Amino acid sequence: MTVTAILSALPQEQGSLVQALQNPERIEHAGRSFWRGQLHGQLLVLALSGIGKVAAASTSASLIERFGVQRLVFTGVAGGLGAGVQVGDVVLAREFLQHDMDASPLFARWQVPGHAVRMACDESLTAMLSIAASHGLALGNAGFDHEKTPPRLHQGLIASGDRFVSTAAASQQLRQELLAAGHDALAVEMEGAAVAQVCHEHGLPFAAIRTISDRADDSAHVDFTHFVRHVAGPRADAIVHAFLRLLPK
Ligand code: ADE
């Protein structure tokens, strides 16, 4: 049976999936804990990458080479960049780009040599995550409803890089530079594009879904930990459980 990896950067982003695993087995490898087990009739490996692209790439390579996973799903939080992408909304990745990659003029700005500038996610896994997302959105925002509107689902481009974007100036500059080249990034985070690249190199399907924890501005750090624990974690739980029920056996 196909083995599925569920990957997050931080423990709080994983919700209580480890506790839900049947026949859980913890394996230490490459300085990380990997949890093998079953859930909803699926063989799973749960892993935490830690923060950043190298950590995410290393964890993805371990999942594939050491644990034999054949599909990878990332769940976690991101900063909102796109117009109307609010705290508490959910962004489903259709494509990823590395916003801190620049080998120009040898290669196009943001292009990882040997890859397209924008790396696509797997369509069928992404379609299943999109259905599963509604179960997470139904939970609401647990008191974080700043906008007083129900959380919404957005789908499109996510930009990844080794930087926590925490000023309005940095976030505007990032958004404008990308937009000027036709890249309308909805959200920014620090791992997804690296996982996408590793999956592309191995020919494996990858999908990612992120709850918006902040607007990547001067208050990006405020309430971050509380939000991840109380909103993003339960969201990830609801989405991943629904997703696993949709996966073919
Ligand atoms: N993940 C969540 N918020 C983020 C931000 N503002 N910048 C980068 N990664 C993030």
Side-chain angles (χ1 to χ4, degrees):
M1 187 198 263
T2 306
V3 185
T4 304
I6 309 289
L7 182 57
S8 303
L10 304 171
Q12 300 89 334
E13 292 178 308
Q14 211 178 34
S16 44
L17 291 173
V18 170
Q19 291 84 329
L21 266 192
Q22 291 159 348
N23 307 312
E25 183 193 0
R26 176 180 170 163
I27 301 131
E28 299 296 318
H29 176 73
R32 289 168 173 76
S33 298
F34 294 82
W35 287 88
R36 205 156 34 193
Q38 295 100 43
L39 197 53
H40 303 295
Q42 297 292 336
L43 296 177
L44 290 190
V45 182
L46 305 179
L48 296 175
S49 60
I51 293 174
K53 290 184 293 154
V54 173
S58 163
T59 312
S60 305
S62 291
L63 282 164
I64 295 165
E65 303 276 4
R66 165 75 174 77
F67 294 93
V69 309
Q70 291 134 304
R71 52 169 96 95
L72 282 86
V73 171
F74 200 106
T75 162
V77 295
L81 271 192
V85 180
Q86 301 296 341
V87 172
D89 287 356
V90 170
V91 174
L92 179 61
R94 291 276 167 192
E95 293 172 304
F96 277 99
L97 163 158
Q98 284 190 31
H99 70 73
D100 55 355
M101 179 72 196
D102 190 356
S104 61
L106 301 178
F107 295 89
R109 179 99 193 264
W110 304 298
Q111 183 185 12
V112 177
H115 293 269
V117 173
R118 290 156 69 144
M119 293 187 213
C121 296
D122 181 74
E123 281 187 17
S124 110
L125 282 188
T126 303
M128 283 183 254
L129 268 186
S130 152
I131 297 168
S134 59
H135 294 259
L137 289 167
L139 294 178
N141 279 338
F144 277 84
D145 279 317
H146 307 297
E147 303 300 318
K148 304 278 183 241
T149 52
R152 295 196 302 147
L153 178 67
H154 308 265
Q155 306 197 26
L157 177 67
I158 296 185
S160 310
D162 287 321
R163 176 158 50 117
F164 187 81
V165 181
S166 59
T167 65
S171 122
Q172 269 158 27
Q173 185 182 352
L174 179 58
R175 175 159 168 73
Q176 289 313 323
E177 277 185 0
L178 288 169
L179 255 188
H183 305 300
D184 187 0
L186 297 175
V188 61
E189 40 85 302
M190 302 178 72
E191 296 84 22
V195 184
Q197 180 178 339
V198 172
C199 288
H200 274 221
E201 289 170 355
H202 286 265
L204 293 177
F206 166 64
I209 193 155
R210 297 260 186 177
T211 294
I212 299 301
S213 55
D214 57 84
R215 274 291 303 174
D217 57 14
D218 303 73
S219 54
H221 61 289
V222 179
D223 289 343
F224 180 84
T225 316
H226 193 68
F227 182 90
V228 177
R229 187 180 305 281
H230 294 285
V231 181
R235 272 284 169 69
D237 264 336
I239 293 172
V240 172
H241 280 283
F243 168 77
L244 293 174
R245 287 194 211 99
L246 292 168
L247 269 183
K249 294 282 183 303

